[in-house]
Amino acid sequence: MKATVSSQSAQQARSSGSDLIPFGEIPHAVEEVLATTECIDVHTHLFPPAFGKIGLWGIDELLTYHYLEAEFFRSSDLSPERYWTLSKRQQADAIWRALFVENAPISEATRGVIAVLKAFGLPTDTPDLSEARSFFESQKLDAHITRVLKMAGVSLVVMTNDPLDPEESSLWLKGIPAHPQFRAVLRLDRVLKGWKHSGQALSQQGYQVDEQASGKSIAEVRRFLADWYKRMQPVYMAVSLPDTFQYPEESIGNRLLAEAVLPSCREFRIPVTLMIGVRLQVNPRLRLAGDAVGRADLRAVGNLCRDFPENRFLVSVLSRENQHELCVYARKFNNLMPFGCWWFMNNPSIVEEITRERIEMLGTSFIPQHSDARVLEQVIYKWANTRRTLAPILSTAYSLLSADGRAVTRREIKQDVTRLFRSNAETWTNLNHR
Ligand code: RAT
Ligand code: ZN
Protein backbone atom coordinates (compact mmCIF):
# COMPACT_ATOMS: atom_id res chain seq x y z
CA MET A 1 0.00 0.00 0.00
CA LYS A 2 1.29 3.45 -0.82
CA ALA A 3 0.57 6.65 1.10
CA THR A 4 -2.09 8.34 -0.95
CA VAL A 5 -3.14 11.88 -0.19
CA SER A 6 -1.35 15.19 -0.09
CA SER A 7 1.98 13.93 1.22
CA GLN A 8 3.74 16.61 -0.84
CA SER A 9 1.78 19.41 0.73
CA ALA A 10 2.35 17.89 4.19
CA GLN A 11 6.08 17.97 3.51
CA GLN A 12 5.90 21.59 2.34
CA ALA A 13 4.02 22.55 5.50
CA ARG A 14 6.55 20.64 7.59
CA SER A 15 9.54 22.40 6.04
CA SER A 16 7.94 25.83 6.47
CA GLY A 17 7.07 24.87 10.07
CA SER A 18 3.69 26.55 9.56
CA ASP A 19 1.45 23.66 10.51
CA LEU A 20 3.39 22.05 13.38
CA ILE A 21 1.26 21.23 16.40
CA PRO A 22 2.58 22.17 19.85
CA PHE A 23 2.94 19.07 22.03
CA GLY A 24 0.11 19.98 24.39
CA GLU A 25 -2.33 20.53 21.55
CA ILE A 26 -1.97 17.09 19.97
CA PRO A 27 -5.02 15.52 21.70
CA HIS A 28 -7.27 18.37 20.65
CA ALA A 29 -5.99 18.31 17.06
CA VAL A 30 -6.54 14.54 16.84
CA GLU A 31 -10.07 14.80 18.19
CA GLU A 32 -10.87 17.56 15.78
CA VAL A 33 -9.58 15.60 12.76
CA LEU A 34 -11.42 12.43 13.84
CA ALA A 35 -14.66 14.37 14.26
CA THR A 36 -14.42 15.99 10.83
CA THR A 37 -13.22 13.04 8.72
CA GLU A 38 -16.09 11.03 7.28
CA CYS A 39 -15.55 7.31 7.12
CA ILE A 40 -16.39 4.45 4.81
CA ASP A 41 -18.15 1.66 6.68
CA VAL A 42 -16.66 -1.40 4.97
CA HIS A 43 -18.93 -4.05 6.47
CA THR A 44 -22.55 -3.67 7.57
CA HIS A 45 -25.86 -5.49 7.27
CA LEU A 46 -27.72 -2.29 6.31
CA PHE A 47 -29.80 -1.68 3.18
CA PRO A 48 -31.22 1.35 1.35
CA PRO A 49 -35.02 1.85 1.13
CA ALA A 50 -35.38 -0.08 -2.16
CA PHE A 51 -34.79 -3.33 -0.24
CA GLY A 52 -38.00 -2.81 1.73
CA LYS A 53 -38.42 -4.89 4.90
CA ILE A 54 -34.91 -6.37 4.70
CA GLY A 55 -33.52 -3.02 5.90
CA LEU A 56 -33.92 -2.69 9.67
CA TRP A 57 -34.34 0.57 11.55
CA GLY A 58 -36.15 2.09 14.54
CA ILE A 59 -36.43 1.44 18.25
CA ASP A 60 -37.94 -2.06 18.17
CA GLU A 61 -35.19 -3.31 15.85
CA LEU A 62 -32.52 -1.59 17.93
CA LEU A 63 -33.75 -3.34 21.07
CA THR A 64 -34.07 -6.77 19.48
CA TYR A 65 -30.52 -6.68 18.03
CA HIS A 66 -29.09 -10.15 18.59
CA TYR A 67 -26.25 -8.77 20.73
CA LEU A 68 -28.97 -7.59 23.16
CA GLU A 69 -30.98 -10.78 22.91
CA ALA A 70 -27.96 -12.72 24.15
CA GLU A 71 -27.70 -10.37 27.13
CA PHE A 72 -31.45 -10.46 27.76
CA PHE A 73 -31.50 -14.20 28.48
CA ARG A 74 -28.92 -13.61 31.22
CA SER A 75 -31.20 -11.18 33.03
CA SER A 76 -34.65 -12.66 32.40
CA ASP A 77 -36.39 -15.91 33.26
CA LEU A 78 -38.23 -15.96 29.95
CA SER A 79 -37.22 -19.00 27.93
CA PRO A 80 -35.96 -18.49 24.37
CA GLU A 81 -38.84 -20.64 23.08
CA ARG A 82 -41.38 -18.35 24.73
CA TYR A 83 -39.49 -15.22 23.61
CA TRP A 84 -39.65 -16.28 19.93
CA THR A 85 -43.48 -16.51 20.13
CA LEU A 86 -43.75 -12.80 21.09
CA SER A 87 -44.32 -10.05 18.56
CA LYS A 88 -41.33 -7.79 17.77
CA ARG A 89 -42.87 -5.03 19.87
CA GLN A 90 -43.40 -7.38 22.85
CA GLN A 91 -39.82 -8.63 22.53
CA ALA A 92 -38.54 -5.04 22.52
CA ASP A 93 -40.65 -4.22 25.59
CA ALA A 94 -39.29 -7.27 27.43
CA ILE A 95 -35.69 -6.34 26.61
CA TRP A 96 -36.22 -2.71 27.56
CA ARG A 97 -37.69 -3.79 30.92
CA ALA A 98 -34.98 -6.33 31.75
CA LEU A 99 -31.88 -4.51 30.51
CA PHE A 100 -32.80 -0.82 30.72
CA VAL A 101 -35.35 -0.47 33.54
CA GLU A 102 -34.56 -3.25 35.99
CA ASN A 103 -30.79 -3.00 35.36
CA ALA A 104 -28.48 -0.13 34.47
CA PRO A 105 -27.57 -0.43 30.77
CA ILE A 106 -23.81 -0.45 31.17
CA SER A 107 -22.84 -3.11 28.62
CA GLU A 108 -21.51 -1.95 25.25
CA ALA A 109 -24.64 -2.95 23.32
CA THR A 110 -27.10 -1.49 25.84
CA ARG A 111 -25.17 1.78 26.13
CA GLY A 112 -25.39 1.98 22.37
CA VAL A 113 -29.19 2.19 22.48
CA ILE A 114 -28.96 4.92 25.11
CA ALA A 115 -26.55 6.88 22.92
CA VAL A 116 -28.93 6.62 19.95
CA LEU A 117 -31.92 7.81 22.02
CA LYS A 118 -29.84 10.70 23.33
CA ALA A 119 -28.67 11.61 19.80
CA PHE A 120 -32.31 12.14 18.80
CA GLY A 121 -33.18 13.99 22.03
CA LEU A 122 -35.41 11.11 23.19
CA PRO A 123 -35.81 10.10 26.86
CA THR A 124 -33.32 7.50 28.03
CA ASP A 125 -34.88 6.48 31.33
CA THR A 126 -38.64 6.12 30.84
CA PRO A 127 -40.46 2.91 31.85
CA ASP A 128 -42.06 2.60 28.41
CA LEU A 129 -41.08 3.24 24.80
CA SER A 130 -44.04 5.28 23.57
CA GLU A 131 -42.16 8.51 22.85
CA ALA A 132 -39.34 6.74 21.04
CA ARG A 133 -41.84 4.72 19.01
CA SER A 134 -43.80 7.74 17.87
CA PHE A 135 -40.57 9.53 16.92
CA PHE A 136 -39.37 6.69 14.70
CA GLU A 137 -42.84 6.06 13.23
CA SER A 138 -42.95 9.68 12.06
CA GLN A 139 -39.68 9.46 10.08
CA LYS A 140 -39.55 9.21 6.29
CA LEU A 141 -36.94 6.53 5.61
CA ASP A 142 -35.03 8.24 2.78
CA ALA A 143 -34.46 11.46 4.69
CA HIS A 144 -33.87 9.53 7.91
CA ILE A 145 -31.05 7.51 6.32
CA THR A 146 -29.34 10.68 5.06
CA ARG A 147 -29.66 12.26 8.51
CA VAL A 148 -28.42 9.20 10.38
CA LEU A 149 -25.35 8.78 8.16
CA LYS A 150 -24.56 12.47 8.57
CA MET A 151 -24.88 12.19 12.36
CA ALA A 152 -22.57 9.15 12.32
CA GLY A 153 -19.97 10.81 10.07
CA VAL A 154 -20.30 7.99 7.54
CA SER A 155 -20.24 8.83 3.84
CA LEU A 156 -20.57 5.35 2.35
CA VAL A 157 -22.04 2.09 3.62
CA VAL A 158 -21.01 -1.34 2.35
CA MET A 159 -23.85 -3.88 2.55
CA THR A 160 -23.86 -7.69 2.81
CA ASN A 161 -25.79 -9.20 -0.09
CA ASP A 162 -26.66 -12.87 -0.33
CA PRO A 163 -27.43 -14.04 -3.87
CA LEU A 164 -29.04 -17.22 -2.49
CA ASP A 165 -31.40 -15.51 -0.07
CA PRO A 166 -34.75 -15.92 -1.82
CA GLU A 167 -36.16 -12.64 -0.52
CA GLU A 168 -33.09 -10.64 -1.50
CA SER A 169 -32.22 -12.33 -4.78
CA SER A 170 -35.71 -11.77 -6.19
CA LEU A 171 -35.20 -8.02 -5.65
CA TRP A 172 -31.86 -8.07 -7.48
CA LEU A 173 -33.35 -10.10 -10.31
CA LYS A 174 -36.10 -7.49 -10.76
CA GLY A 175 -33.47 -4.73 -10.64
CA ILE A 176 -32.60 -2.48 -7.72
CA PRO A 177 -31.93 1.24 -8.24
CA ALA A 178 -28.44 2.25 -7.09
CA HIS A 179 -28.29 4.36 -3.93
CA PRO A 180 -25.51 6.98 -3.78
CA GLN A 181 -24.45 5.98 -0.25
CA PHE A 182 -24.67 2.17 -0.43
CA ARG A 183 -22.48 -0.40 -2.19
CA ALA A 184 -23.03 -4.13 -2.55
CA VAL A 185 -20.98 -7.14 -1.46
CA LEU A 186 -21.32 -10.61 -2.95
CA ARG A 187 -21.56 -12.72 0.19
CA LEU A 188 -20.80 -16.37 -0.45
CA ASP A 189 -21.38 -18.20 2.84
CA ARG A 190 -24.11 -20.39 1.42
CA VAL A 191 -22.12 -21.19 -1.72
CA LEU A 192 -18.84 -22.01 0.06
CA LYS A 193 -20.14 -23.58 3.26
CA GLY A 194 -23.31 -25.42 2.32
CA TRP A 195 -22.76 -26.82 -1.15
CA LYS A 196 -25.34 -29.58 -0.62
CA HIS A 197 -28.13 -27.03 -0.52
CA SER A 198 -26.50 -24.22 -2.44
CA GLY A 199 -25.58 -26.52 -5.33
CA GLN A 200 -29.29 -27.25 -5.68
CA ALA A 201 -30.10 -23.55 -5.45
CA LEU A 202 -27.60 -22.82 -8.22
CA SER A 203 -29.17 -25.55 -10.35
CA GLN A 204 -32.55 -23.89 -9.83
CA GLN A 205 -31.04 -20.62 -11.05
CA GLY A 206 -30.01 -22.44 -14.25
CA TYR A 207 -26.37 -23.35 -13.57
CA GLN A 208 -25.24 -26.87 -14.43
CA VAL A 209 -23.55 -27.99 -11.23
CA ASP A 210 -23.50 -31.36 -9.50
CA GLU A 211 -23.37 -32.51 -5.88
CA GLN A 212 -19.62 -33.09 -5.89
CA ALA A 213 -18.89 -29.78 -7.62
CA SER A 214 -17.16 -31.85 -10.30
CA GLY A 215 -16.97 -31.66 -14.09
CA LYS A 216 -18.17 -28.36 -15.42
CA SER A 217 -19.43 -27.25 -11.98
CA ILE A 218 -16.47 -24.96 -11.34
CA ALA A 219 -16.93 -23.20 -14.66
CA GLU A 220 -20.62 -22.89 -13.89
CA VAL A 221 -19.93 -21.39 -10.46
CA ARG A 222 -17.70 -18.86 -12.19
CA ARG A 223 -20.55 -18.06 -14.57
CA PHE A 224 -22.82 -17.63 -11.52
CA LEU A 225 -20.29 -15.27 -9.90
CA ALA A 226 -19.90 -13.30 -13.13
CA ASP A 227 -23.67 -12.89 -13.50
CA TRP A 228 -24.01 -11.71 -9.89
CA TYR A 229 -20.99 -9.47 -10.27
CA LYS A 230 -22.71 -7.80 -13.20
CA ARG A 231 -25.96 -7.48 -11.29
CA MET A 232 -24.58 -6.22 -7.96
CA GLN A 233 -21.32 -4.49 -8.89
CA PRO A 234 -19.95 -5.66 -5.53
CA VAL A 235 -16.94 -3.98 -3.97
CA TYR A 236 -15.67 -7.38 -2.80
CA MET A 237 -16.73 -11.02 -2.44
CA ALA A 238 -16.97 -12.27 1.15
CA VAL A 239 -17.34 -15.31 3.36
CA SER A 240 -17.32 -15.89 7.10
CA LEU A 241 -15.41 -19.00 8.12
CA PRO A 242 -15.33 -21.21 11.22
CA ASP A 243 -12.46 -21.34 13.69
CA THR A 244 -11.67 -24.77 12.22
CA PHE A 245 -10.98 -23.32 8.75
CA GLN A 246 -7.85 -24.76 7.15
CA TYR A 247 -6.18 -24.07 3.83
CA PRO A 248 -5.07 -26.17 2.05
CA GLU A 249 -7.44 -28.97 2.96
CA GLU A 250 -9.53 -31.14 0.66
CA SER A 251 -13.11 -29.86 0.78
CA ILE A 252 -15.66 -28.65 -1.74
CA GLY A 253 -15.61 -25.20 -0.13
CA ASN A 254 -11.84 -24.84 -0.53
CA ARG A 255 -11.97 -26.03 -4.13
CA LEU A 256 -14.68 -23.50 -4.91
CA LEU A 257 -12.64 -20.81 -3.16
CA ALA A 258 -9.39 -21.59 -5.00
CA GLU A 259 -10.79 -22.46 -8.43
CA ALA A 260 -13.85 -20.23 -8.73
CA VAL A 261 -13.95 -17.36 -6.21
CA LEU A 262 -10.29 -16.30 -6.27
CA PRO A 263 -9.98 -16.41 -10.09
CA SER A 264 -13.20 -14.38 -10.36
CA CYS A 265 -11.88 -11.83 -7.89
CA ARG A 266 -8.73 -11.55 -10.00
CA GLU A 267 -10.79 -11.15 -13.13
CA PHE A 268 -12.93 -8.39 -11.61
CA ARG A 269 -10.03 -6.87 -9.69
CA ILE A 270 -11.79 -6.99 -6.36
CA PRO A 271 -10.59 -8.41 -3.04
CA VAL A 272 -12.04 -11.33 -1.18
CA THR A 273 -13.01 -10.76 2.43
CA LEU A 274 -12.47 -13.58 4.92
CA MET A 275 -14.04 -13.26 8.36
CA ILE A 276 -12.57 -16.10 10.38
CA GLY A 277 -13.33 -17.60 13.77
CA VAL A 278 -17.07 -18.06 14.17
CA ARG A 279 -18.40 -21.16 15.94
CA LEU A 280 -21.86 -21.35 14.52
CA GLN A 281 -24.88 -22.22 16.64
CA VAL A 282 -23.27 -23.40 19.87
CA ASN A 283 -26.71 -22.68 21.33
CA PRO A 284 -29.35 -23.01 18.58
CA ARG A 285 -32.11 -22.03 21.03
CA LEU A 286 -30.82 -18.45 20.75
CA ARG A 287 -31.02 -18.44 16.92
CA LEU A 288 -28.93 -15.54 15.53
CA ALA A 289 -27.62 -14.87 19.05
CA GLY A 290 -26.44 -18.48 19.37
CA ASP A 291 -23.03 -18.22 17.63
CA ALA A 292 -19.73 -18.16 19.52
CA VAL A 293 -16.02 -17.79 18.84
CA GLY A 294 -12.96 -20.00 18.59
CA ARG A 295 -9.27 -19.41 17.97
CA ALA A 296 -8.41 -20.13 14.33
CA ASP A 297 -5.24 -21.42 12.69
CA LEU A 298 -3.97 -18.40 10.77
CA ARG A 299 -1.53 -20.51 8.81
CA ALA A 300 -4.49 -20.78 6.44
CA VAL A 301 -4.34 -17.00 5.85
CA GLY A 302 -0.59 -17.11 5.27
CA ASN A 303 -0.96 -20.01 2.84
CA LEU A 304 -3.66 -18.22 0.84
CA CYS A 305 -1.71 -14.96 0.69
CA ARG A 306 1.39 -16.82 -0.47
CA ASP A 307 -0.28 -19.15 -2.96
CA PHE A 308 -2.43 -16.40 -4.51
CA PRO A 309 -0.19 -13.32 -4.68
CA GLU A 310 -2.41 -11.76 -7.36
CA ASN A 311 -5.41 -11.80 -5.01
CA ARG A 312 -6.05 -9.26 -2.29
CA PHE A 313 -7.42 -10.48 1.05
CA LEU A 314 -9.35 -8.34 3.50
CA VAL A 315 -9.29 -10.27 6.76
CA SER A 316 -10.98 -9.87 10.13
CA VAL A 317 -10.58 -12.43 12.90
CA LEU A 318 -13.05 -13.02 15.68
CA SER A 319 -10.81 -14.35 18.40
CA ARG A 320 -8.77 -11.99 20.55
CA GLU A 321 -5.98 -14.57 20.55
CA ASN A 322 -5.63 -14.31 16.74
CA GLN A 323 -5.24 -10.53 16.52
CA HIS A 324 -1.50 -10.23 17.04
CA GLU A 325 -0.83 -13.11 14.65
CA LEU A 326 -2.92 -11.36 11.99
CA CYS A 327 -0.70 -8.26 12.30
CA VAL A 328 2.40 -10.41 11.87
CA TYR A 329 0.97 -12.04 8.73
CA ALA A 330 0.10 -8.56 7.38
CA ARG A 331 3.77 -7.61 7.80
CA LYS A 332 4.71 -10.60 5.64
CA PHE A 333 2.10 -10.18 2.91
CA ASN A 334 1.12 -6.84 1.43
CA ASN A 335 -1.86 -8.52 -0.27
CA LEU A 336 -3.40 -8.86 3.21
CA MET A 337 -5.40 -6.03 4.76
CA PRO A 338 -6.56 -6.49 8.36
CA PHE A 339 -9.85 -4.75 8.99
CA GLY A 340 -12.26 -4.04 11.82
CA CYS A 341 -12.75 -5.29 15.34
CA TRP A 342 -15.43 -7.80 14.59
CA TRP A 343 -18.50 -8.66 16.71
CA PHE A 344 -17.21 -9.96 20.10
CA MET A 345 -14.07 -7.83 19.56
CA ASN A 346 -16.07 -4.62 19.25
CA ASN A 347 -15.80 -3.55 22.89
CA PRO A 348 -13.72 -0.50 23.86
CA SER A 349 -11.15 -2.39 25.94
CA ILE A 350 -10.46 -4.87 23.16
CA VAL A 351 -10.69 -2.34 20.33
CA GLU A 352 -8.10 -0.29 22.17
CA GLU A 353 -5.72 -3.20 22.52
CA ILE A 354 -6.12 -4.34 18.90
CA THR A 355 -5.78 -0.84 17.46
CA ARG A 356 -2.65 0.02 19.46
CA GLU A 357 -1.12 -3.25 18.34
CA ARG A 358 -1.99 -2.57 14.70
CA ILE A 359 -0.57 0.96 14.75
CA GLU A 360 2.63 -0.23 16.41
CA MET A 361 3.06 -3.04 13.90
CA LEU A 362 1.50 -1.68 10.71
CA GLY A 363 1.49 2.13 10.95
CA THR A 364 -1.62 3.23 9.09
CA SER A 365 -1.75 0.30 6.64
CA PHE A 366 -4.96 -1.26 8.00
CA ILE A 367 -8.69 -0.49 8.23
CA PRO A 368 -9.36 0.08 11.92
CA GLN A 369 -13.06 -0.52 12.10
CA HIS A 370 -16.36 -1.41 10.47
CA SER A 371 -19.69 -1.10 12.26
CA ASP A 372 -21.33 -4.44 11.41
CA ALA A 373 -24.55 -2.47 12.00
CA ARG A 374 -27.73 -4.45 11.40
CA VAL A 375 -30.04 -1.64 12.40
CA LEU A 376 -29.55 1.71 10.71
CA GLU A 377 -29.24 3.95 13.77
CA GLN A 378 -26.50 1.74 15.27
CA VAL A 379 -23.97 3.54 13.08
CA ILE A 380 -24.44 6.58 15.32
CA TYR A 381 -23.11 4.95 18.47
CA LYS A 382 -20.73 2.51 16.83
CA TRP A 383 -18.84 5.23 14.96
CA ALA A 384 -18.96 7.62 17.94
CA ASN A 385 -17.36 4.86 20.01
CA THR A 386 -14.72 4.23 17.34
CA ARG A 387 -13.76 7.90 17.25
CA ARG A 388 -13.76 8.05 21.06
CA THR A 389 -11.48 5.01 21.37
CA LEU A 390 -9.16 6.08 18.55
CA ALA A 391 -8.60 9.60 19.90
CA PRO A 392 -6.31 8.74 22.84
CA ILE A 393 -4.58 5.99 20.84
CA LEU A 394 -3.60 8.35 18.01
CA SER A 395 -2.75 11.13 20.47
CA THR A 396 -0.37 8.80 22.26
CA ALA A 397 1.22 7.72 18.98
CA TYR A 398 1.86 11.34 17.89
CA SER A 399 2.98 12.38 21.38
CA LEU A 400 5.53 9.55 21.45
CA LEU A 401 6.71 10.56 17.99
CA SER A 402 7.03 14.14 19.12
CA ALA A 403 8.88 13.15 22.32
CA ASP A 404 11.23 11.04 20.20
CA GLY A 405 12.15 14.05 18.10
CA ARG A 406 9.62 14.73 15.36
CA ALA A 407 6.72 17.10 15.76
CA VAL A 408 3.60 16.42 13.69
CA THR A 409 1.60 18.67 11.45
CA ARG A 410 -2.17 18.92 11.31
CA ARG A 411 -1.99 17.82 7.68
CA GLU A 412 -0.12 14.67 8.58
CA ILE A 413 -2.80 13.78 11.11
CA LYS A 414 -5.49 14.50 8.54
CA GLN A 415 -3.68 12.37 6.00
CA ASP A 416 -3.32 9.46 8.44
CA VAL A 417 -6.95 9.56 9.59
CA THR A 418 -8.10 9.82 5.98
CA ARG A 419 -6.04 6.77 5.13
CA LEU A 420 -7.47 4.80 8.07
CA PHE A 421 -11.08 5.90 7.56
CA ARG A 422 -11.21 6.05 3.76
CA SER A 423 -8.21 5.66 1.49
CA ASN A 424 -7.22 2.13 2.48
CA ALA A 425 -10.77 1.00 1.73
CA GLU A 426 -10.89 3.02 -1.48
CA THR A 427 -7.64 1.69 -2.87
CA TRP A 428 -8.40 -1.90 -1.91
CA THR A 429 -11.93 -2.20 -3.22
CA ASN A 430 -13.52 -0.79 -6.33
CA LEU A 431 -15.64 1.58 -4.25
CA ASN A 432 -15.05 4.44 -6.60
CA HIS A 433 -15.59 2.60 -9.87
CA ARG A 434 -19.23 2.43 -10.70
O1 RAT B 1 -21.87 -9.29 14.08
C1 RAT B 1 -22.86 -9.87 13.63
O2 RAT B 1 -23.93 -9.27 13.50
C2 RAT B 1 -22.78 -11.32 13.29
O3 RAT B 1 -24.01 -11.89 13.47
C3 RAT B 1 -22.46 -11.67 11.87
O4 RAT B 1 -23.41 -11.13 11.02
C4 RAT B 1 -21.18 -11.30 11.30
O5 RAT B 1 -20.90 -9.95 11.41
C5 RAT B 1 -21.13 -11.71 9.84
O6 RAT B 1 -21.16 -10.85 8.96
O7 RAT B 1 -21.08 -12.92 9.61
ZN1 ZN C 1 -21.36 -8.95 9.78
Side-chain angles (χ1 to χ4, degrees):
M1 291 296 312
K2 291 183 195 96
T4 41
V5 267
S6 68
S7 54
Q8 235 181 351
S9 50
Q11 259 159 25
Q12 277 159 10
R14 158 168 297 288
S15 51
S16 73
S18 59
D19 201 27
L20 293 178
I21 302 171
F23 189 82
E25 286 175 29
I26 290 173
H28 179 71
V30 167
E31 268 171 41
E32 198 259 331
V33 171
L34 283 169
T36 53
T37 309
E38 288 200 312
C39 59
I40 293 171
D41 198 340
V42 293
H43 170 59
T44 77
H45 300 264
L46 301 180
F47 296 90
F51 287 76
K53 284 202 173 66
I54 302 180
L56 305 181
W57 61 288
I59 188 64
D60 290 334
E61 299 295 350
L62 284 166
L63 284 166
T64 53
Y65 185 33
H66 69 91
Y67 292 25
L68 289 175
E69 287 174 334
E71 292 173 34
F72 169 70
F73 292 117
R74 304 193 53 72
S75 293
S76 163
D77 290 334
L78 200 66
S79 71
E81 289 71 20
R82 177 93 190 85
Y83 174 83
W84 301 121
T85 66
L86 302 178
S87 68
K88 172 91 39 187
R89 183 180 272 247
Q90 288 169 326
Q91 291 173 342
D93 283 333
I95 291 181
W96 179 256
R97 205 174 322 109
L99 297 182
F100 294 81
V101 178
E102 289 165 7
N103 290 283
I106 57 173
S107 73
E108 171 72 5
T110 51
R111 259 192 314 105
V113 177
I114 297 297
V116 170
L117 292 171
K118 170 87 187 333
F120 290 112
L122 293 166
T124 56
D125 56 1
T126 45
D128 74 83
L129 296 164
S130 47
E131 200 175 329
R133 281 193 176 119
S134 47
F135 167 78
F136 285 107
E137 275 156 20
S138 70
Q139 302 307 309
K140 293 262 173 297
L141 185 53
D142 251 318
H144 185 57
I145 289 178
T146 310
R147 179 183 180 195
V148 166
L149 295 184
K150 185 103 201 115
M151 287 164 83
V154 171
S155 63
L156 203 64
V157 171
V158 178
M159 304 179 267
T160 296
N161 305 96
D162 181 351
L164 296 184
D165 177 282
E167 213 182 330
E168 189 177 340
S169 62
S170 66
L171 294 171
W172 285 106
L173 290 165
K174 271 189 246 149
I176 291 255
H179 187 288
Q181 289 188 281
F182 286 77
R183 292 285 187 280
V185 159
L186 185 46
R187 178 83 177 226
L188 298 171
D189 288 35
R190 295 195 210 216
V191 178
L192 294 180
K193 296 192 300 192
W195 181 249
K196 214 170 158 211
H197 292 112
S198 53
Q200 283 166 15
L202 256 69
S203 294
Q204 278 156 19
Q205 285 191 20
Y207 300 92
Q208 291 168 40
V209 294
D210 63 43
E211 252 189 48
Q212 298 313 313
S214 58
K216 61 197 286 201
S217 298
I218 294 288
E220 284 292 278
V221 172
R222 284 201 63 178
R223 187 163 72 83
F224 166 83
L225 295 174
D227 289 345
W228 281 96
Y229 178 82
K230 211 162 146 203
R231 211 165 271 137
M232 287 180 177
Q233 295 292 298
V235 296
Y236 56 76
M237 298 191 194
V239 61
S240 96
L241 294 160
D243 55 320
T244 51
F245 173 63
Q246 294 287 346
Y247 187 92
E249 186 182 68
E250 186 42 48
S251 69
I252 291 183
N254 272 352
R255 195 143 47 79
L256 292 170
L257 177 65
E259 294 174 25
V261 176
L262 294 178
S264 293
C265 285
R266 293 196 294 273
E267 180 186 342
F268 303 125
R269 297 170 177 278
I270 55 175
V272 65
T273 289
L274 307 178
M275 302 173 76
I276 309 172
V278 59
R279 246 180 224 171
L280 287 174
Q281 294 295 283
V282 299
N283 185 356
R285 292 175 71 202
L286 302 193
R287 299 191 181 172
L288 200 51
D291 298 343
V293 58
R295 182 184 182 147
D297 182 353
L298 293 200
R299 273 179 288 208
V301 171
N303 293 337
L304 284 165
C305 290
R306 191 194 52 238
D307 291 357
F308 299 94
E310 302 301 323
N311 279 100
R312 280 170 290 130
F313 297 87
L314 278 157
V315 177
S316 205
V317 284
L318 194 51
S319 157
R320 183 180 174 204
E321 288 71 21
N322 280 137
Q323 303 298 333
H324 178 256
E325 213 178 337
L326 181 65
C327 290
V328 175
Y329 276 104
R331 291 172 66 91
K332 308 301 133 191
F333 296 102
N334 74 355
N335 59 339
L336 168 59
M337 176 66 83
F339 79 96
C341 301
W342 178 25
W343 199 348
F344 309 116
M345 296 297 95
N346 194 359
N347 296 301
S349 62
I350 302 176
V351 172
E352 188 180 333
E353 173 183 292
I354 296 173
T355 310
R356 277 190 200 286
E357 194 166 77
R358 287 175 175 172
I359 287 179
E360 285 163 2
M361 296 178 78
L362 304 171
T364 50
S365 67
F366 68 98
I367 297 172
Q369 193 53 300
H370 64 269
S371 75
D372 231 316
R374 270 174 194 271
V375 185
L376 173 70
E377 298 83 2
Q378 290 171 338
V379 290
I380 296 172
Y381 83 84
K382 290 188 184 233
W383 283 104
N385 289 357
T386 294
R387 289 184 168 91
R388 180 156 66 186
T389 310
L390 269 175
I393 299 174
L394 287 175
S395 295
T396 304
Y398 295 123
S399 300
L400 289 171
L401 177 63
S402 187
D404 282 344
R406 181 175 154 167
V408 283
T409 66
R410 201 169 295 273
R411 275 180 224 201
E412 281 171 321
I413 297 180
K414 182 73 184 170
Q415 180 178 311
D416 285 352
V417 172
T418 302
R419 184 170 176 191
L420 292 167
F421 274 11
R422 311 187 58 80
S423 327
N424 284 336
E426 284 166 340
T427 34
W428 263 61
T429 64
N430 62 355
L431 275 167
N432 294 331
H433 316 155
R434 195 162 68 174

